[in-house]
Amino acid sequence: VGVDEASEFRFRIGQSKVPYGYENMQSSSHRIPLDRDDAINSGMKDERDLGVFFYWATQKQRRLWKQLRKAGLSGGDFGMFAFGLYNGQTANHYDQNKEFHLVTRFTYPITVGNQVIEPGIQAYSGKYVVTEHGSDIEVNPDGYVDQRVGASFVLYPQPFGIQAEYNIGKGPEYDVATHSIAMKPLQGGYITCSYYIHKWGQDFYPFVRYQYYDGGKKHELDARSYEVHDTEVGVERHPF
């Protein structure tokens, strides 16, 4: 819903992508690695939730994102500033505690010569109720503090590109010693380096990505504990 004629101020109402993280907001068709990273995506399963989200961006910045999307470098316009209220139980799940999660994000794309860089920061806070767990595991029915803050940096591949994000926070995680789900710290991020090649009428994006995550995945059975060290090497090809 656009508030003004140019839709610099607008709302998205209903089940929508939660504005946390750069890669999470991008469509899968605009992501070079096969899957989203664990560190950021573990906070937003399926990237979506039911809520009301406010977005603001100037016409100048919206035109820049449109140009980047047309060139196949970005997934589109997700606002310079975002703020939202949402259920917090992830997509296609009922709210469990009648308390909203709050999320906010700020990003500012900058043109330097023929390059575009986009730094950003984001944070969310709420209480998450773990509903998927074994009957013998001790669980707090009132939920667990679910909070994160993260930073993003993007250098769009013209031709060399960098995409990096990192977040820290706390949330529910399985504890082996007490055979229970407890609130624990978490952290992790990734860095992707890529290169854009246009040859033989085709597009090629060779890339390498390293990701790290140490924490729980609240939406999985028993809020399972993870320590991820993963390196991916590959190339995406657009034959047409």
Side-chain angles (χ1 to χ4, degrees):
V1 178
V3 176
D4 61 305
E5 187 175 346
S7 290
E8 290 187 347
F9 302 87
R10 62 195 192 276
F11 288 89
R12 291 179 67 92
I13 303 167
Q15 182 156 280
S16 177
K17 286 189 175 180
V18 178
Y20 183 83
Y22 175 84
E23 186 174 83
N24 256 25
M25 299 293 287
Q26 301 295 305
S27 166
S28 296
S29 63
H30 290 89
R31 184 186 65 250
I32 300 178
L34 292 177
D35 202 3
R36 288 182 170 88
D37 69 288
D38 290 83
I40 307 296
N41 194 247
S42 58
M44 306 289 171
K45 178 181 179 291
D46 298 324
E47 303 82 58
R48 296 165 176 82
D49 209 331
L50 191 68
V52 178
F53 305 95
F54 167 77
Y55 292 93
W56 168 76
T58 65
Q59 291 188 60
K60 178 182 177 181
Q61 301 295 1
R62 298 196 73 188
R63 285 194 297 269
L64 176 58
W65 278 315
K66 187 176 182 179
Q67 293 169 7
L68 291 168
R69 181 166 188 166
K70 190 175 181 180
L73 302 176
S74 171
D77 173 6
F78 304 105
M80 292 169 56
F81 173 75
F83 177 79
L85 307 173
Y86 63 103
N87 279 350
Q89 291 296 129
T90 70
N92 301 316
H93 289 82
Y94 290 112
D95 180 58
Q96 298 291 327
N97 56 10
K98 298 182 180 180
E99 293 184 29
F100 287 119
H101 270 55
L102 304 178
V103 63
T104 188
R105 179 174 183 260
F106 179 78
T107 184
Y108 192 84
I110 305 167
T111 302
V112 182
N114 67 337
Q115 299 280 358
V116 179
I117 62 174
E118 186 176 334
I121 56 173
Q122 52 264 316
Y124 77 79
S125 179
K127 289 189 74 176
Y128 182 84
V129 178
V130 177
T131 58
E132 301 293 328
H133 58 83
S135 58
D136 59 335
I137 293 179
E138 184 179 339
V139 179
N140 182 355
D142 296 326
Y144 298 84
V145 172
D146 180 26
Q147 296 176 334
R148 298 191 185 201
V149 60
S152 307
F153 175 84
V154 179
L155 170 65
Y156 289 98
Q158 301 185 103
F160 177 70
I162 298 174
Q163 184 178 311
E165 298 191 84
Y166 202 89
N167 72 169
I168 60 173
K170 52 189 174 183
E173 180 180 351
Y174 177 69
D175 183 73
V176 177
T178 60
H179 194 50
S180 67
I181 297 174
M183 186 183 71
K184 290 188 174 186
L186 57 87
Q187 63 174 326
Y190 70 92
I191 180 170
T192 303
C193 295
S194 61
Y195 198 86
Y196 170 59
I197 302 170
H198 181 76
K199 196 171 182 64
W200 307 307
Q202 303 177 47
D203 292 333
F204 299 87
Y205 298 86
F207 74 93
V208 58
R209 177 170 78 171
Y210 173 75
Q211 64 165 317
Y212 159 73
Y213 179 60
D214 185 3
K217 289 194 176 182
K218 60 188 180 185
H219 52 270
E220 292 194 2
L221 181 65
D222 301 332
R224 291 171 180 168
S225 179
Y226 280 81
E227 184 174 341
V228 178
H229 299 269
D230 183 65
T231 302
E232 296 175 65
V233 179
V235 59
E236 180 176 302
R237 173 191 172 216
H238 295 188
F240 305 104

